[in-house]
Structure formats: C-alpha cells, structure tokens
Amino acid sequence: MRPSFFHHLHPPTIPARQARLRYTLAAGGLAIFLSLILLVTGLLEMFYYIPTPEKASASIQTLTFLVPYGGLVRNLHYWSAQFLVIVTLVHLLRVILTGAYAPPRRLNYLLGMGLLVLAILLDFTGYVLRWDEGIRWALVTGTNLVKSIPLIGNAFYRLLVGGAQPGPATFIRFYGWHIFGLTLAAGILVAWHIFRVRRDGGIAVPPPPLREDQRRITRFELVRREVLAMLLSATALLLLSSFVPAPLAAPITASATASQAARAPWFFLWIQQMLKLGNPFFWGVVVPLAVLVLLSLIPYIFPKPAKPELGRWFPKSNRLAQVVALLILLSMLALTLLALRTTS
Ligand code: HEM
C-alpha cells in the first residue's frame, strides 16, 4: 500500500503509552485544534473588522452587536487565543516534567519555544487591534520598554511603532504582523513541529527492549480519542463563548498617553509587576529574555533524562530541570497574582 499523508501522521499502530491522556494531557493536539479555530474565526472577523485607528473599535462593536453570530465568532477567537497560551504553557511544562526534550528531540523543543513566543506575540498584537482604552498599557508602557534598550532602543522603537509615538502607523504595523507575518510564521513552525514529532519516533517512550508496557493501539483508536477530545473541547469553548464575552472598552479618544489605571494583558502582568522594582531595561527586558533563554537551554545545560525513565512523569534523572522550570513558572504565577491584586 502506498503511504498516504494520513499514514505519515498516524502509523497503523503506536505504543499505547504514547496516546495516554494522563501522560500527554492532549496539550499538543489541543494547541493545534485551537490554532485552527483561531484561523477560521480570524478570517471570518476580517469581513467586518475595519483596520484603521478611527474605525477599528466601532467595527468590533458592529461585529459584536449587529452581525448575526458576530459576537460568538469574536468570543471564540478571543477565548481560543487565551487558551492557546495556557495550553502551550501546560504542554511545555509536561515536556519538561517528563524529560521528553532529550535527544533526538532537542531541535523540536526549540521549535516549540518558537511557537510559545509566537502564540504570545499573536495574542499581544491581536489585543492591540481592539484599539480601545483597555490597550493603553500595551500601547504606551509596553512599546516604551523597547526604548530602554541601550544603543539600539530608539531605532528599534521607531521600527516597531512606525514613528516617534504610537499612532496610525503603529496600528497598521501591528495589523500586518497579526494577520500575516506572525500567522505565517506560526503556520510554518506548527507544520515543522508536527513533522519532527513523527521524525523523532513519535511521543517519547523508552525503546522497545526497555519498555515495561508492550501494548499498542491502532490508528483508528487514536483517531477516536482525538475526535472525542476535539468534541469535548469544542463544546466547552462554545459554552464559554456563548456566555462570557470578550472584553471591549470605549474607543481611544485622546492621544495615547500612559494612564494610571492601565493594566497589561494577563500574560504580561508578571512583567508589569516586576517593573515596579525599578530599572525598566533590567526588569522589563533583561529578566524576561533571561527566562526565555534559560527555558530554551534546558535540553542543553541540564543532565539528560535516562532512556528507561522516558514516558513517565517526574523522572529522577532530570530533577534539576523540573525544579528550575517549576520555580520559574511559580514565580511568574505569584507575580501575576500580585499584579492582579494591586491593579484591580
Ligand atoms: C502552538 C504551540 C504548539 C503546538 C501546536 C504543539 C504541538 C505538538 C504536538 C501535537 C505534539 C505531539 C503530542 C503531544 O506531545 O502532546 C507535540 C510534541 C512535542 N512538543 Fe509541542 N507544540 C507546541 C508548543 C511546544 C512548546 C512550547 C514546546 C517546548 C518548548 C514543545 C515541545 C515539544 C516536544 C519536545 C514534543 C515531543 C514530546 C514527546 O516526544 O513526548 N511544543 N507538540
């Protein structure tokens, strides 16, 4: 039989362990599903969204309140984007806490880190496209952080914002990045990432002679589980999007200047909280970049997880990586909660 494209994605049988929900948490698959929902709902939103600073916010109101099912489409887009960031973080944590980044999966780990950064940038640029009072922190404080970088800060700021301060040029740049640049890059990286999962031998489990559990499941069983997971998550997402609307504030009226009440989007609240400690370059640029670099280097600088320990949670052989990752994520969570308390 000539192998089809589907055959490449799903071989006739796979080790049962590779498809165990309590091992993978289905987080990678869910991230793909959410990305597809984002693509479809984003394309639908483009029929009504008017990409100019004067009309953007009003066009979102039209879409939400006047277009049949427009509000639902917008809410689905919004909630899928938030969950994509959460699910990607959960997936990252499961990869670290199971030691699944060990060779030959180091390259795929880096591709995954690229995807995490893209998911956050897509969420950030999409949030700015609301162009309402709620986005002031992102527009003013967020972009100003770039200026604090020594030597190249001002040039980089002009490149990002399109002028000496945020305005129509900023808007069109963020729009271009959101609907084209970042989306295209994410599409390419997702395809590469999935290709690498197959190339690296599927989900990490011990090699056959070291495997305690020799059971295998068929591709039909795998597809059945995937469809079930998609139906359940689609139902949850539809329910949430039907009852909890995406945020929308009044259109930006005065020129965009910093405001006391401005709050960062939730995934940058930990940075907003750190900025209270002083030097914006150190706390707003150096520390977040150091966190990103440290997480990316985990497969390269920490002891390699042992092969017989693959396919299970908390292997003894990679304890150090587990502790470092948990400390980083717990600190980010604590800073986020602190920021929520002080800015609410
Ligand atoms: C939009 C973001 C992402 C998507 C769509 C995605 C998708 C997937 C899928 C479908 C799998 C196979 C199933 C599974 O393990 O759950 C997978 C595995 C993997 N992913 Fe991701 N991923 C993303 C982000 C990340 C991140 C942030 C990392 C870590 C830096 C990462 C590293 C890996 C690794 C190393 C594997 C192989 C795991 C193993 O063999 O056990 N991915 N990814």
Side-chain angles (χ1 to χ4, degrees), residues 162-207:
Q165 61 183 41
T170 321
F171 185 91
I172 207 68
R173 275 174 201 216
F174 274 60
Y175 184 63
W177 279 114
H178 188 74
I179 65 152
F180 182 69
L182 295 169
T183 302
L184 182 69
I188 294 171
L189 272 198
V190 168
W192 193 1
H193 190 64
I194 296 166
F195 167 75
R196 283 293 342 166
V197 172
R198 280 290 279 128
R199 256 294 156 87
D200 298 336
I203 309 293
V205 288

Side-chain angles (χ1 to χ4, degrees), residues 21-279:
L21 184 65
R22 63 174 185 272
Y23 175 48
T24 67
L25 307 178
L30 259 179
I32 298 181
F33 185 53
L34 290 170
S35 306
L36 290 175
I37 296 179
L38 279 163
L39 192 68
V40 174
T41 49
L43 284 170
L44 289 174
E45 283 197 88
M46 282 173 73
F47 282 97
Y48 286 92
Y49 181 73
I50 304 176
T52 63
E54 300 79 30
K55 298 204 172 143
S57 174
S59 72
I60 296 178
Q61 305 226 9
T62 308
L63 171 77
T64 309
F65 301 114
L66 300 179
V67 177
Y69 297 104
L72 182 64
V73 169
R74 175 170 182 248
N75 295 345
L76 279 171
H77 193 75
Y78 173 80
W79 285 116
S80 303
Q82 311 320 309
F83 284 122
L84 180 62
V85 174
I86 296 170
V87 161
T88 310
L89 283 171
V90 169
H91 179 53
L92 165 72
L93 205 57
R94 105 87 181 132
V95 165
I96 297 175
L97 298 185
T98 58
Y101 53 74
R105 294 177 177 79
R106 289 203 295 205
L107 169 65
N108 213 14
Y109 181 87
L110 287 184
L111 296 178
M113 282 306 290
L115 280 168
L116 174 64
V117 171
L118 285 174
I120 291 174
L121 289 181
L122 274 161
D123 210 351
F124 184 72
T125 48
Y127 163 92
V128 169
L129 293 185
R130 272 173 19 207
W131 213 256
D132 63 11
E133 287 291 335
I135 67 147
R136 274 184 190 275
W137 186 92
L139 200 57
V140 183
T141 320
T143 53
N144 268 342
L145 279 180
V146 172
K147 268 194 202 158
S148 71
I149 304 173
L151 304 174
I152 56 159
N154 280 332
F156 190 24
Y157 178 86
R158 281 182 171 271
L159 198 70
L160 180 77
V161 164
Q165 61 183 41
T170 321
F171 185 91
I172 207 68
R173 275 174 201 216
F174 274 60
Y175 184 63
W177 279 114
H178 188 74
I179 65 152
F180 182 69
L182 295 169
T183 302
L184 182 69
I188 294 171
L189 272 198
V190 168
W192 193 1
H193 190 64
I194 296 166
F195 167 75
R196 283 293 342 166
V197 172
R198 280 290 279 128
R199 256 294 156 87
D200 298 336
I203 309 293
V205 288
L210 301 176
R211 239 175 251 161
E212 287 161 18
D213 182 359
Q214 295 288 347
R215 274 173 306 160
R216 300 181 74 85
I217 59 162
T218 64
R219 62 159 69 130
F220 299 106
E221 173 58 19
L222 179 61
V223 172
R224 192 187 69 82
R225 291 184 196 181
E226 283 171 347
V227 171
L228 194 67
M230 277 192 277
L231 283 177
L232 284 176
S233 37
T235 309
L237 203 60
L238 265 173
L239 279 175
L240 182 70
S241 304
S242 304
F243 295 108
V244 191
L248 186 61
I252 291 187
T253 42
S255 68
T257 49
S259 122
Q260 278 290 303
R263 187 197 265 182
W266 66 267
F267 44 88
F268 282 157
L269 279 174
W270 63 287
I271 300 182
Q272 187 178 27
Q273 186 64 21
M274 284 198 303
L275 284 172
K276 292 182 188 155
L277 298 173
N279 190 325

Side-chain angles (χ1 to χ4, degrees), residues 150 168 316 343:
K316 280 202 192 89
T343 55

